[in-house]
Amino acid sequence: MSGLNLDDFATLIERPDSGVRRDAEEHRERLVPAPGALGRLDELGEWLAAAQGSVPVKPVERAKLLLFAGDHGVAELGVSGGPAEGARALVRAVLDGESASAVLARRCGAQVRVVDMSLDCDPAELPEDVTRHRVRRGSGRIDVEDALTADEAERAFRAGMAVADEEADSGTDLVVLGDLSVGGTTAAGTLIAALCGTDASVVTGRGGAGIDDLAWMRKCAAIRDGLRRARTVLGDQLELLATTGGADLAAITGFLLQSAVRRLPVILDGVVSAACALVAQRVAFRAPDWWLAGQVSGEPAQAKALDRMALNPLLDHGVCVGEGTGALLALPMVQAAAALAAELPVRA
């Protein structure tokens, strides 16, 4: 389908340094309080040390909230509770500092970056640094047509890779990854159902904005129809993203894989980032070692994807708004783990 060889990622991606992790575990055993007393904070500190290749672990000081944005044609079926004007309104709220994720990012000291991959609006309505990677205006209706052409899928995937390189080169030390989409959870549910070999009803949730029973049934039918199309292309992950994903999902997948190549750790947010992570795992089985699951979103598809990748969410607060919000709530926990691992005194 493409000149992009995804098999290269399996060779390029290595696990976080296991020797450094053992050193971090030994260092932790000498600290106050006793090993195990800090629960998952110990595990997080050791994971960060391995990702950084440093003992003691370095503080997380340049975290970035990264949100990939796009509209999905399947939203016209009434499967989403998102704004009628599309994801542009969600993007505008983030850029204006008025969304839940923007508020939390300010509180956590995280910079915010929005990347428009397929918003259904005039690009002139948004800043050029937001729209410069856009592949198309809206992704196709996945129940009856491909989300993207082969060329568009590759361009979106490569855009995600480029964003990962930009963040790694700029000194970002941890990415909180989310999405801004209308219809994105339907595409994500389709991908997860296809990769997990399950039925549409098992993965269909209510979305970040919540939908009523009739909308849920429409969403379930859309995932069912998309799933029939997805099952014919399971052997090619880029073709799968083109068939039943979308430009934003293809970009997130490329970003996750290239971030693992660049040894840049990532906190995943909800079902969309989980779906892309599952696709990325099919490409490179070591890649999930570079990711944390920030939170339980309540979406059944997310739970299936995280279970398949053996990722245990850090938080379960019932937050389902999306947009990176739940993962941002996990950021202070990760920052705390780094601080404790680096600053606690050694027992006498």
Side-chain angles (χ1 to χ4, degrees), residues 180-252:
L180 296 165
S181 64
V182 176
T185 64
T186 302
T190 304
L191 291 174
I192 292 169
L195 293 171
C196 292
T198 192
D199 294 330
S201 60
V202 177
V203 298
T204 304
R206 304 276 175 172
I211 53 176
D212 61 22
D213 290 346
L214 286 176
W216 182 90
M217 287 188 283
R218 291 193 294 269
K219 182 174 182 179
C220 188
I223 291 177
R224 177 202 64 207
D225 293 342
L227 187 54
R228 291 195 188 104
R229 305 178 64 257
R231 285 173 174 152
T232 67
V233 294
L234 279 175
D236 186 324
Q237 304 310 305
L238 197 56
E239 190 172 0
L240 176 63
L241 289 165
T243 302
T244 53
D248 47 347
L249 277 74
I252 292 171

Side-chain angles (χ1 to χ4, degrees), residues 5-15 257-258 260-263 280-287 290:
N5 185 4
L6 299 189
D7 292 339
D8 289 343
F9 285 106
T11 303
L12 292 170
I13 294 174
E14 300 177 351
R15 288 193 166 98
L257 286 165
Q258 187 64 13
V261 171
R262 297 298 304 271
R263 307 179 71 86
Q281 184 200 39
R282 290 285 289 258
V283 175
F285 69 95
R286 289 184 287 263
W290 293 95

Side-chain angles (χ1 to χ4, degrees), residues 27-28 31-33 38 42 339-346:
H27 177 73
R28 174 64 188 94
L31 299 181
V32 178
L38 293 173
D42 283 344
L340 289 167
E343 300 175 26
L344 281 173
V346 175

